Amino acid sequence: MPMELPFAESYRIKMVEPIYLSTRKEREEWIKATNYNLFGLRSEQVYIDLLTDSGTGAMSDRQWAALMMGDESYAGAKSFYNLQEAVHRILGFPFTLPTHQGRAAENVLFSRLIREGDIIPGNSHFDTTKGHIEYRKATAIDCTIDEAFNTESVHPFKGNVDINKLEAVFKKYPKEKIPFIIVTITNNTAGGQPVSLQNLKEVSALAKKYDIPVVFDSARFAENAYFIKTREVGYADKTIKEIVREMFQYADIMTMSSKKDGIVNMGGFIGFKNEELYKSCWVYNIMFEGYVTYGGMSGRDMNALAVGLDEATEFEYLNTRILQVKYLFDKLTSHGIPCQQPAGGHAIFVDAGKMLPHVPREQFVAQTLGVELYLEAGVRGVEIGALLADRDPITRENRYPKLELLRLAIPRRTYTNNHMDVVAAALINIFERRDSIRTGYRIVEEAPIMRHFTLKLEPVK
Ligand code: F0G
């Protein structure tokens, strides 16, 4: 019998960037000097950086070539029209406003749409999305399905919106108070979990019934389409581009952080189907971002983004990416390491609460695991737990979320599976000695809001 050919990446490497594996002693000094805050490390002090998949991917030769062709005109740049054409053709939105990143798109759109006292239902709104809602004294209501909060339950579309929860919100508040519903594809906060086409269809039908516009937070839309192709009945034979077009039929507006599935280092945009609404956002774009044909992006970056949108919606690219995430996931879970099930699109979410059961939640379990992983192998993840959840704005008590997670986000086209092997081995070592890890950290200093970026910690002895 001839051997079946193993899977391999759908690209080869043309440019490399050296990384440095430090000693444990060096890492102990460095992490102490940052007061045990992983954000405080210099990137040279990190061997494998899984802090985020945002803006950390590798661009292709085609993208670098497009960069050289950037048109840097203040108004009417050719690069803007390239981007607009790509957004129209691939995503189906005829009108595009570029912004410098995803949260800037939120800022512009929400300035136009949200008023004090409004209600914005959605599926686990991303932090900046929630931040921009709450900053306007409006309320985000999470309508994600319950399965998302049980890391052990296996559901192919754990990012889905619970239609009953959504309808309850539509019934409870008058239509005038709900400027839109926002659906995040994939659902980052719930573990990079996808939303099914069936669910998008149902959300859209319900929203139509109540006459409420639908916004997609589309940062990882291509990964979402990959999961629809590989998990949802009836989509196996469709191309990613066909699925993407079908998904966006159900949205009126999209916001985008291009740093994810645009495969660029910086950028964002808003896509509109309604010309009037698009034009009514111009004033905010001009005030906060830049003129409507560049919005904070250089021409070269818009060019690279136009190509990135095309590449991100190719099956071979997505298959390489998602199989790498799954490769790490399988290594971890086959050793019994508790992770959000099933593997998501852009990251592994280790259930730190289950992995380190002896560390009290008041001592920040996921952060404790994050520091351990850094010390073990120079791998940097990010805490999604009580530090990120911050304090209650009224009582100032610490908020303890349902899950203490350590997110290991995999940058696009950046690391090889050898790097994934290092990450797995490091976590397995920690798992093996988990019973000896009994204490975590206490806060020494923190900012009044968004504390996780800058806070100082010390080990509890
Ligand atoms: N929406 C989602 C779903 C995101 O994941 C992010 C960013 C944003 C919006 C904001 O976009 O960073 O371009 O301003 N997520 C990054 C992350 C930061 O690490 O998950 P941005």
Side-chain angles (χ1 to χ4, degrees), residues 277-323:
L277 180 66
Y278 156 68
K279 287 191 169 160
S280 70
C281 289
W282 281 10
V283 57
Y284 301 105
N285 218 69
I286 292 169
M287 275 198 302
F288 301 143
E289 293 296 296
Y291 182 62
V292 300
T293 61
Y294 77 88
M297 290 186 73
S298 7
R300 51 179 171 273
D301 286 337
M302 288 191 279
N303 258 10
L305 171 56
V307 176
L309 289 173
D310 241 322
E311 292 184 352
T313 47
E314 289 296 326
F315 179 77
E316 291 307 322
Y317 153 75
L318 283 166
N319 202 33
T320 298
R321 166 156 183 72
I322 308 279
L323 289 182

Side-chain angles (χ1 to χ4, degrees), residues 216-369:
F216 285 179
D217 175 350
S218 317
R220 300 180 182 85
F221 73 93
E223 292 166 10
N224 202 84
Y226 175 92
F227 287 117
I228 289 172
K229 182 176 169 71
T230 52
R231 291 183 187 171
E232 192 160 350
V233 178
Y235 289 93
D237 295 331
K238 297 215 157 132
T239 66
I240 296 293
K241 285 193 167 64
E242 284 166 347
I243 295 170
V244 165
R245 283 299 290 256
E246 192 174 332
M247 277 162 40
F248 282 111
Q249 272 176 25
Y250 299 109
D252 302 293
I253 309 163
M254 67 175 287
T255 53
M256 178 71 186
S257 167
S258 309
K259 303 166 74 170
K260 285 83 169 176
D261 281 350
I263 333 185
V264 290
N265 303 117
M266 191 53 75
F269 60 87
I270 314 170
F272 300 88
K273 290 183 180 164
N274 180 306
E275 188 169 7
E276 246 172 80
L277 180 66
Y278 156 68
K279 287 191 169 160
S280 70
C281 289
W282 281 10
V283 57
Y284 301 105
N285 218 69
I286 292 169
M287 275 198 302
F288 301 143
E289 293 296 296
Y291 182 62
V292 300
T293 61
Y294 77 88
M297 290 186 73
S298 7
R300 51 179 171 273
D301 286 337
M302 288 191 279
N303 258 10
L305 171 56
V307 176
L309 289 173
D310 241 322
E311 292 184 352
T313 47
E314 289 296 326
F315 179 77
E316 291 307 322
Y317 153 75
L318 283 166
N319 202 33
T320 298
R321 166 156 183 72
I322 308 279
L323 289 182
Q324 181 171 55
V325 175
K326 188 166 181 309
Y327 176 84
L328 177 58
F329 176 86
D330 288 344
K331 287 222 146 187
L332 296 176
T333 49
S334 66
H335 271 85
I337 294 180
C339 299
Q340 171 72 300
Q341 301 269 0
H346 66 295
I348 307 288
F349 288 66
V350 182
D351 190 333
K354 287 214 176 84
M355 174 135 168
L356 299 180
H358 307 304
V359 179
R361 67 174 194 173
E362 294 75 18
Q363 295 177 18
F364 307 111
V365 191
Q367 181 69 11
T368 305
L369 183 59

Side-chain angles (χ1 to χ4, degrees), residues 39 50-55 99-106 124-129 132 182 184-189 217-220 255-260 265-268 346 349 382 384 407 409 453:
F39 284 97
L50 308 185
L51 185 71
T52 179
D53 64 321
S54 181
T99 62
H100 80 275
Q101 60 183 82
R103 67 198 70 183
E106 293 163 359
S124 322
H125 312 64
F126 182 67
D127 328 345
T128 60
T129 317
H132 276 296
I182 189 158
T184 305
I185 51 173
T186 58
N187 186 328
N188 181 4
T189 312
D217 175 350
S218 317
R220 300 180 182 85
T255 53
M256 178 71 186
S257 167
S258 309
K259 303 166 74 170
K260 285 83 169 176
N265 303 117
M266 191 53 75
H346 66 295
F349 288 66
V382 73
I384 304 201
R407 185 184 78 169
F453 289 115

